[in-house]
């Protein structure tokens, strides 16, 4: 099997889990119970780890052409196959609960994959290949034909039911294959429903009716949000993607729906991103707020407060499971060959164990951003969380840490980590009137000012004439672009201008892209969007808009961004779709609308 490019995949979501469907009509990734549960289709990471392909038999042959797009304001994907015999549309979705509207979307998703085939012209012969492999490909299910023509696939804790719209399936020992013709005007609905072997049974739906209902649910949801800034089409789509990455039951936003898609094909920087990072918290909240999604922002904040709980002396984890789980211990799937041979394939993420000093600043900044919505008097849990995080920063800001890029070598005094310690104390001073008698704004302000002085003294490198990534280091780091974005220094400050010039010169990867550091092999999209924001704040609007336009071209054909871009080939790299990239787009678009916003 030829490995599809990462950009060849579209994203389906029911706000419970996500699936990736390729241009070739194969669903190669689906973790049906929730984003971070084991896959039942995992061909994304190994040819033998399961898939469900539905495409013309002529797919890939001369004369076959594919067009695809999302149905407006949804994550329902319509793919049109043009063949010498005619044209056919396949519309794919993860079903919404019947009747779900507005913020009910995803609360009780039935875990059903819908595929509706519609003949457009001529007569097109279609091919179906259903090969589920639960537990990341470890299990081969028994396949049982049912009296109603469905096929039951059962293995371990998983039960899947395939219904083929009245077309008699051909069941082999380990897969279902079938060919059938679709004429112009004919509609065939197929679905796969997930259930638990010792729990809830798979739901039975009419795929055609359920698809129409799912489109209405998404569009009703988007109609309740009104964004008035620039680039409305791109912002609305990115906000839809962020909604699709939201685990509706808790409000947590997954960084991506995938694991182990490589930062460099053949490399070993392959991590599991199916969790929610507090580092992204303030940026996520701001993007949702900008995109006029206040209810989602509030729910995300409530999830964070509950996940963090009462703050003790230990560092707050940088990431949590989607329902607030802390222990995300990492292991390797030795049986999987990895995307493009990129090993290891990892499940879990050991970054939860690291000390990352920026995390409290991200959370307190989020509280500060939401302060008008939270009211003049905070409730006890919120008050205790902010007080605990602030005191933790006051006691530990001087320690080394692993930094925002989560290095897996040694602790260092990373500049951006110290800046976010400053952010934590600066925002806490402002919030002090809402924090009760234990607030100590005078002491916090003194420590804040000390941190600022240390950053300006030890973070500046005389030889390079720029702020380095870590104290005493000449190595540049694109995260310094965050300094003006959080108000630590004005964008027009001479030191910032000199640093950004050095970053553009040394870390520029071409095509408007920035690498995170000097040895990073690929352009990192979030940093590139941060540069757009910096340029807008510095008064260089024409450059900012030109850069933004170039970055938009790195999306795939259905508007999805992964984490990184290969500067030579332009290929997407890393887990996809990446929340932080879409957050970067929304924030940059708003900064171009209002450069002075915070």
């Amino acid at each position: 099997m030829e490995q599809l490019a990462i950009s060849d995949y579209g994203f389906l979501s029911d706000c419970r889990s996500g699936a990736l469907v390729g241009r070739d009509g194969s669903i190669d990734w689906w973790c049906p119970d929730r984003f971070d549960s084991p896959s039942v289709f995992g061909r994304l990471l190994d040819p033998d780890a399961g898939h469900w392909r539905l495409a013309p038999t002529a797919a890939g042959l001369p004369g076959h052409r594919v067009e695809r797009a999302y149905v407006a304001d949804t994550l329902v994907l319509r793919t049109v196959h043009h063949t010498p015999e005619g044209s056919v549309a396949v519309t794919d979705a993860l079903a919404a609960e019947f009747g779900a509207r507005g913020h009910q979307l995803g609360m009780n998703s039935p875990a059903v994959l819908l595929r509706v085939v519609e003949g457009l012209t001529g007569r097109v012969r279609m091919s179906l290949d259903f090969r589920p492999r639960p537990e990341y490909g470890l299990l081969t299910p028994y396949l049982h034909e049912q009296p109603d023509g469905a096929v039951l696939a059962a293995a371990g804790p998983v039960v899947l039911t395939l219904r083929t719209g009245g077309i008699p399936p051909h069941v082999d020992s380990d897969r279902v294959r079938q060919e059938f013709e679709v004429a112009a005007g004919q509609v065939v609905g197929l679905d796969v429903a997930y259930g638990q072997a010792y729990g809830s049974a798979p739901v039975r739906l009419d795929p055609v009716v359920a698809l129409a209902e799912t489109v209405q649910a998404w569009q009703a949801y988007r109609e309740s949000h009104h964004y008035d800034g620039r680039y409305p089409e791109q912002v609305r789509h990115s906000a839809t993607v962020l909604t699709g990455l939201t685990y509706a039951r808790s409000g947590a936003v997954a960084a991506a729906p995938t694991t182990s898609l490589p930062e460099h094909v053949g490399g070993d920087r392959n991590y599991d991103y199916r969790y929610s990072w507090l580092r992204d918290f303030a940026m996520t909240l701001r993007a949702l707020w900008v995109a006029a999604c206040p209810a989602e922002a509030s729910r995300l904040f409530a999830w964070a407060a509950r996940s963090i709980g009462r703050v003790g002396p230990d560092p707050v984890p940088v990431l949590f499971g989607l329902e607030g789980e802390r222990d995300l211990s990492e292991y390797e799937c030795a049986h999987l060959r990895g995307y493009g041979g990129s090993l290891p394939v990892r499940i879990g993420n050991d970054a939860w164990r690291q000390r990352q000093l920026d995390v409290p600043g991200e959370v307190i900044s989020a509280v500060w951003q939401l302060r008008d919505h939270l009211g003049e008097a905070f409730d006890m849990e919120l008050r205790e969380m902010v007080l605990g995080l602030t005191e933790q920063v006051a006691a530990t800001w001087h320690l080394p840490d692993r930094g925002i890029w989560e290095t897996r070598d040694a602790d260092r005094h990373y500049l951006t980590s110290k800046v976010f310690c400053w952010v934590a104390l600066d925002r806490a001073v402002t919030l002090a009137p809402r924090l009760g008698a234990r607030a100590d704004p005078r002491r916090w302000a003194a420590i804040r000012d000390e941190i600022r002085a240390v950053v300006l003294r030890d973070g500046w490198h005389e030889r390079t004439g720029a702020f380095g990534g870590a104290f005493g280091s000449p190595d540049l780091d694109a995260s310094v672009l965050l300094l003006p974005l959080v108000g630590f220094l004005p964008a027009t400050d001479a030191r910032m201008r000199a640093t950004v010039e050095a970053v553009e010169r040394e870390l520029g990867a071409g095509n408007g892209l920035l690498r995170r550091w000097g040895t990073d092999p690929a352009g990192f999209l979030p940093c590139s969007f941060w540069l757009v924001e910096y340029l807008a704040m510095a008064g260089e609007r024409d450059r900012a808009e030109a850069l933004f336009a170039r970055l938009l071209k790195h999306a795939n054909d259905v508007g999805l961004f992964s984490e990184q871009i290969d500067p030579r080939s332009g290929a997407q790299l890393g887990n996809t779709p990446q929340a932080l990239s879409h957050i970067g787009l929304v924030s940059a678009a708003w900064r171009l609308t209002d450069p002075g916003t915070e």
Side-chain angles (χ1 to χ4, degrees), residues 239-305:
T240 301
V241 173
L242 290 173
T243 300
L245 290 170
T246 300
Y247 181 70
R249 294 177 184 177
S250 68
V253 176
T258 57
T259 179
S260 300
L261 292 184
E263 297 179 11
H264 171 68
V265 176
D268 62 358
R269 289 184 58 85
N270 322 312
Y271 301 116
D272 194 345
Y273 275 17
R274 298 173 299 160
Y275 309 109
S276 194
W277 266 253
L278 290 180
R279 167 169 302 109
D280 305 343
F281 179 77
M283 298 178 192
T284 305
L285 189 144
R286 179 171 179 267
L288 291 172
W289 201 264
V290 163
C293 307
E296 293 89 327
S298 299
R299 291 180 62 242
L300 175 59
F301 180 79
W303 166 86

Side-chain angles (χ1 to χ4, degrees), residues 20-147:
L20 296 190
V21 54
R23 289 176 62 85
D24 63 351
S26 183
I27 296 177
D28 289 346
W29 185 253
W30 186 33
C31 303
D33 194 37
R34 60 185 228 179
F35 289 106
D36 54 353
S37 66
S39 65
V40 296
F41 301 138
R43 186 160 73 165
L44 184 69
L45 299 176
D46 190 291
D48 297 323
H51 65 275
W52 180 21
R53 188 171 184 272
L54 181 63
T57 57
L61 299 177
H64 176 242
R65 180 169 55 87
V66 172
E67 297 176 299
R68 58 183 187 165
Y70 283 110
V71 177
D73 286 334
T74 76
L75 290 179
V76 175
L77 185 63
R78 187 171 189 267
T79 302
V80 178
H81 297 270
H82 300 281
T83 77
E85 291 74 32
S87 298
V88 65
V90 179
T91 305
D92 297 316
L94 279 165
E97 180 188 13
F98 189 83
R101 295 292 184 270
H103 298 290
Q104 296 174 328
L105 181 65
M107 288 297 186
N108 294 290
S109 297
V112 180
L113 267 171
L114 307 171
R115 312 199 77 175
V116 174
V117 183
E118 178 188 1
L120 302 178
T121 63
R123 296 183 67 88
V124 179
R125 191 158 188 81
M126 300 292 291
S127 174
L128 178 151
D129 185 9
F130 173 73
R131 192 170 182 260
R133 292 292 183 269
E135 293 285 327
Y136 301 111
L138 284 173
L139 296 176
T140 301
Y142 292 103
L143 301 177
H144 304 281
E145 293 187 64
Q146 304 298 297

